[in-house]
Amino acid sequence: MFDGMPRRIVSLWFPRLASDRVLRQHPTDAPFALTLKQNNLNRIYCLNREAMRQGLHRGMPYSDARAFCPDLKSHPAEPRKDRDFLHVLRRWATRYCPWVGVEGEDGLVLDVTGSVHLFGGEDAMIADVRHRMVRAGLSVQAGVGDTRGAAWALARYGEGLAPPGDMLAALKALPVSALRLSDEMSVALQRLGLRRIEDLAKAPRAPLTRRFGPDLLLRLDQALGAQPEGITPLADPPHYGVRMTLPDPIGLLPDVMQGVERLLTKLCAKLKAQDAGARVLCVTLRRVDQDCQQVELRLARPLRDPHRILPMFERGLAEIDAGFGIDQLRLEATRVEPLPAQQVSHVTTRDKGRLDDLITRLGTRIGLENIHRFLPADSHIPERSFLIAPAAYSAPESGWDFNQPRPVCLFSPEPVAGTGPYPPERFRWRRMSLTTGRATGPERIAPEWWLEDENWRSGVRDYWRVETVQGRRLWLFYTPQNPGWFVHGEFA
């Protein structure tokens, strides 16, 4: 990398990353632990210093932890948020060097070769890291060495800086588990009397290879520098934003729309290259007086077609006050979702996507969350046979699978006068006198005994489709246990 300059690697380990992340927002001095359900048992996932002083440890059953520490505060763990937070720390660590990678679930590895002098040396750099981490409320242990394996071992078992040169002298007193070995292999080596790295380095290599395979000596050679081990830095996520600075201010809606169209073409090309689609777009318009106005567009489905997106911006852009003119346009996709390429079929219709565009247009006026669709649910109880979900955040599913038709309009049961197991010939409903013309049934529906429902405590129901002479098509049911007739819905 740098001729004549020894390679230097920094390993940062955050032993309480998950709990520190939560405690940064909700600090407490009491024992605190995060729990994670594993094999139907809640276990300790991460804990703070005070909980460790009480004798708790990772992997401990949560019930045992509460018995040892009654005042223990807990919160469910969220590994996905912990991973996202670690990636935030990775981006922050690029202030020290451009080569930063993720080490497991709670560590970072930095190749600081050639950048240490910018911070006054390795000691000053590590001191700066610790100072900033303490201010951020995070616990960190650092190790510096010529190799990635040596830095990893020092961060987790020694927390120190190994001078350039002989890595064996810096690692010889550490346990063999510091070589990133599995627990089973570490235990097997200790049973053979090879407890420290120095013991392993002096042992004959051929018997070790025959018994443990090549991975053991590979880890040893990587830590001591005999075998190379690279660092693969994670690339920054793509930025979906484009900008246009205008030589002369504009103010007319057609001019603004033309500028947004050019930006959309560039942005959609970026989205297509990443197999992604925009769900939320934001146009920022800067006026000549340095005031900025924004127009946000929330789409019902991920899109990257500029010709479909552009007309949806017209209503919002028409309300912009251009003032003395707009001299800069900026378009950014603030929310992006995967949108892989799909096979085009000869049966594809031109109307595909029009429903999503309609939902988007209505959503700009009343809000996407206020447009709902009904989805089938796995229940034979009429009131539980459907779900109501926002149309923009759900996909249409196939229709309800019932042997008997169901009414389009369903309401709370309304009693009507009648006796006997067959629908009454004449009855009164909602101040209307109705006469039964044709009745189809019965369809018996039993309650779901595993769920508590006050409306179904009366037992089974016998449902009938009743067509009245007056033209009403009703859904009536009879309760044999407590004789009575009720209207539950109306067919279209």
Side-chain angles (χ1 to χ4, degrees), residues 95 245 268 294 307 443 459 473:
R95 71 187 310 272
T245 302
C268 290
Q294 291 184 339
H307 302 291
E443 176 192 1
R473 301 174 66 242

Side-chain angles (χ1 to χ4, degrees), residues 9-13 103 107-109 130 141-162 167-181 195-198 200 219-220 222-225 229:
I9 307 298
V10 174
S11 178
L12 300 179
W13 179 42
E103 190 85 74
L108 300 176
V109 56
R130 291 197 179 101
Q141 294 181 204
V144 183
D146 291 350
T147 65
R148 183 175 181 177
W152 189 94
L154 291 172
R156 287 158 176 79
Y157 293 88
E159 193 178 8
L161 283 70
M167 288 297 101
L168 180 59
L171 303 178
K172 62 181 182 179
L174 300 182
V176 291
S177 56
L179 294 175
R180 296 173 292 174
L181 305 177
R195 294 181 171 82
R196 300 183 303 168
I197 294 179
E198 182 182 23
L200 184 62
R219 285 302 191 187
L220 177 63
Q222 287 175 342
L224 300 182
E229 184 179 11

Side-chain angles (χ1 to χ4, degrees), residues 33 35 56 59 62 77 79 92 101 145 161 186 213 232 315 321 356 380 389 412 422 436 446-447 481:
T35 62
L56 309 184
Y62 178 63
W92 166 84
L161 283 70
S186 299
T232 304
R315 183 174 183 273
D321 181 13
D356 296 335
H380 62 271
S412 299
Y422 300 102
T436 301
Q481 293 83 356

